[in-house]
Amino acid sequence: MSFHPHTSSFNGVQGAGALDVSLGPQHPSTHGVFRMNVRMEGETITKLQPVFGYLHRNHEKIAEANSWLGSMPYTDRLDYICPITNNWAYARAVEQLAGIEVPERAEYIRVIVGELTRLQNHTVFLGFILADMGAWGSALMYAFREREKILDLFEWLTGARMMVNYMRFGGVRCDLPVGWLEKARAYVETYPAFLDEMERLLTGNEILLARLQGVGILSGERAINGGLSGPVLRASGVDYDIRKVDAYGVYPRLSFRIPRGTVGDCYDRFMIRLLEARESIRILQQAFAQIPAGPTLNPAVKQRGFKPPAGEAYGRIEGPKGELGFHLISQGGEKPYRYHVRPPSLINLTLLEEMCLGTKIADVMVILGSIDIVLGEVDR
Amino acid sequence: MNLPGSGILKGMAVTAVNFIGSFFDRAHAKRLITEQYPEERPILVETSRSFPFLVFDGDPEKGIRCTACKICEKECPPQCISIVKAKDANGKPILRPQIFDIDISVCMGCQICVEVCPFESIRMDNIYEVSAYDRFGTLVLHKDQLLKSNEYYRQIHPTEAAQTDARIEAVRVKKAAAKAASAKAAAAKAAAAQAAQTQPEPAA
């Protein structure tokens, strides 16, 4: 029996017991409007085809019609869980294009808000992957409760909880408010207690182990071939972090380790977020101690009517989900000639079928959850 | 080796601590951060922003700072601002908006209009209860709805307003000084001219 004979993109049913199911786009565990056409033999996946584009908003084309500065608030809406790192990647690409210097204090502020964003993203990930496994409730609520505190810090700093529009070419829009640094430092001190609580709640749980261990194994070699990046790549045992490889900003001055997985299954992808969050805390503590006084925006850069010289640049950062890059081509005008986003969520999804083949239908949601996608970024 | 099921029990203990703890955390500090919204209202931080408004000093008609230069209209990323310049009785354009509309159903609150305004006239409000049944009737804000006094601005964003006021005051002082200097120079010139004119007389 074919579930959706007209909308399914597979031709006909082969073999007795084969079932085509359209998973999504309105499915609570597809993290938005992601759709998979799945063929099953019994409950085992034999084919999986992702369908993209339900949240397409023309981001790249709108950017080509907007001024350089005008695209900055739109980047907030790419990966809406972590808008500040999106701002950062775009600002960095433009800074490379125009050869702009960033003041030291601004670089430290970027690292602080960027790492807070990473904490926030990994916190939400912990909640969502539990929700994907059917544990609606406790873990998700605890995660969102914790994220709220980080969003409060962002609101105080930027004026908005999520749509921050904070970075500018050559710095950040405004300096830290009086007392912000102390509050942020006090918050970061309390974060490890939350992680400990989450670990007590989750990591020893036998059901969780049964659902995660040995599910959706991805070898490091295949992950490299697929162009994957971020925690998903590192969970497969590949030592690749753009914070170390490119050593951008003030990251070379901060000491931190790159956690790596060994098996490349969902459990490794889950644990790597916990470990990365702990490393982010170390980075934050160092950045709080080192941040100098000084200007936060390069005064030589004209934000309104900004015209970079003609040329081409690719700026990338290690976003919480992986390599987030912007490829920009300028012809010297007020608008970009070409504006392309390299979203980590989309590229990390390319090996979804490979991870899912041979697993059960209930594992598909866990594997998808362990990749950690945001559809705003996948479909743009 | 752990006892089978001990991981689940440990997790349940965490849940129990959170459940019971939420009854003893009335200060919204750790375990309970939900606000009972219509009864309890959030205390917004000073920097919190939602939609733009126009600042005026003193009288809403005469004190309007906006000069209808249309920079914000041009720079607005989703293009939600619409401005028409006012004209005087002879049809000559004057530096004041006749129409100033902001469609807040399109506005995304990015505050780029605030940053590009050279006259410190557009600022971010912190209203949040703006839901309505009719988009064009209520969500397109006209000039009279957008105009709010500088006192209101000082009330919602004290630090930012103080900085703005200081900047305006500095410009005013500088202008007054320049005016005084030019007046002085003119007076000196006039005096010199007069002196030059009166000087030859005794010689003649």
Side-chain angles (χ1 to χ4, degrees), chain A residues 40-314:
Chain A
M40 299 182 297
E41 301 276 353
E43 278 199 20
T44 311
I45 307 292
T46 56
K47 193 171 180 181
L48 184 144
Q49 206 173 47
V51 184
F52 302 116
Y54 289 97
L55 201 61
H56 182 57
R57 308 179 303 289
N58 234 340
H59 176 77
E60 292 178 1
K61 211 67 194 168
I62 287 175
E64 285 163 22
N66 247 331
S67 66
W68 292 89
L69 176 63
S71 293
M72 187 61 86
Y74 282 111
T75 61
D76 292 339
R77 287 142 177 92
L78 280 174
D79 173 359
Y80 40 78
I81 301 283
C82 23
I84 288 188
T85 44
N86 300 341
N87 281 190
W88 192 358
Y90 177 54
R92 207 172 116 73
V94 173
E95 280 153 14
Q96 281 184 10
L97 183 66
I100 298 169
E101 291 279 317
V102 182
E104 201 170 325
R105 183 176 173 85
E107 286 284 17
Y108 272 100
I109 294 177
R110 285 179 176 191
V111 167
I112 289 171
V113 292
E115 293 301 323
L116 279 173
T117 307
R118 197 182 310 278
L119 284 187
Q120 189 218 142
N121 180 70
H122 290 355
T123 309
V124 172
F125 167 85
L126 294 177
F128 276 147
I129 193 165
L130 262 288
D132 289 342
M133 281 185 263
W136 286 101
S138 305
L140 186 64
M141 287 303 132
Y142 299 167
F144 266 68
R145 190 176 64 191
E146 203 59 29
R147 172 188 185 228
E148 195 63 31
K149 296 172 191 165
I150 302 180
L151 290 185
D152 282 348
L153 285 174
F154 286 167
E155 186 179 14
W156 188 8
L157 174 60
T158 69
R161 283 154 36 89
M162 288 170 80
M163 301 302 137
V164 291
N165 185 19
Y166 184 54
M167 306 266 174
R168 289 291 175 269
F169 314 134
V172 293
R173 195 184 74 221
C174 53
D175 201 354
L176 303 172
V178 179
W180 191 90
L181 215 52
E182 288 68 39
K183 192 96 183 267
R185 191 178 302 176
Y187 170 71
V188 169
E189 293 304 319
T190 65
Y191 190 83
F194 163 75
L195 276 185
D196 293 342
E197 191 178 41
M198 277 310 238
E199 286 203 30
R200 270 203 308 281
L201 179 68
L202 302 175
T203 45
N205 190 311
E206 286 80 1
I207 302 172
L208 184 123
L209 297 181
R211 290 301 302 276
L212 291 178
Q213 282 181 336
V215 173
I217 295 175
L218 183 70
S219 71
E221 204 178 312
R222 286 299 301 153
I224 294 171
N225 283 348
L228 268 55
S229 57
V232 183
L233 177 67
R234 291 192 288 274
S236 296
V238 182
D239 186 9
Y240 185 79
D241 188 311
I242 296 163
R243 286 176 292 176
K244 290 278 190 201
V245 176
D246 275 14
Y248 59 92
V250 289
Y251 277 117
R253 293 183 217 170
L254 308 166
S255 90
F256 59 99
R257 292 172 301 179
I258 308 297
R260 268 188 294 160
T262 47
V263 188
D265 58 355
C266 284
Y267 186 69
D268 277 0
R269 288 195 279 277
F270 171 79
M271 282 307 287
I272 205 146
R273 263 81 176 204
L274 282 170
L275 296 173
E276 268 190 17
R278 290 200 190 273
E279 288 305 310
S280 284
I281 293 167
R282 275 185 66 198
I283 297 175
L284 279 167
Q285 283 167 341
Q286 293 171 56
F288 286 142
Q290 291 177 13
I291 183 168
T296 53
L297 193 60
N298 187 339
V301 186
K302 203 175 106 202
Q303 306 289 337
R304 180 166 76 84
F306 177 75
K307 281 183 194 163
E312 193 172 335
Y314 178 70

Side-chain angles (χ1 to χ4, degrees), chain A residues 156 158-159 163 165 168 197, chain B residues 5 18 47-49 108 110 115:
Chain A
W156 188 8
T158 69
M163 301 302 137
N165 185 19
R168 289 291 175 269
E197 191 178 41
Chain B
N18 272 283
T47 48
S48 179
R49 65 169 196 255
M108 57 182 181
C110 64
E115 281 164 56

Side-chain angles (χ1 to χ4, degrees), chain B residues 151-203:
Chain B
E151 282 69 45
Y152 174 77
Y153 177 44
R154 280 183 200 139
Q155 207 183 324
I156 58 169
H157 300 305
T159 317
E160 205 187 285
Q163 286 166 357
T164 311
D165 285 349
R167 266 203 305 277
I168 293 174
E169 184 61 22
V171 170
R172 202 187 58 79
V173 166
K174 209 172 154 191
K175 261 189 187 166
K179 206 173 173 185
S182 70
K184 210 174 163 188
K189 209 173 165 188
Q194 200 160 21
Q197 228 170 32
T198 51
Q199 199 68 32
E201 267 180 19

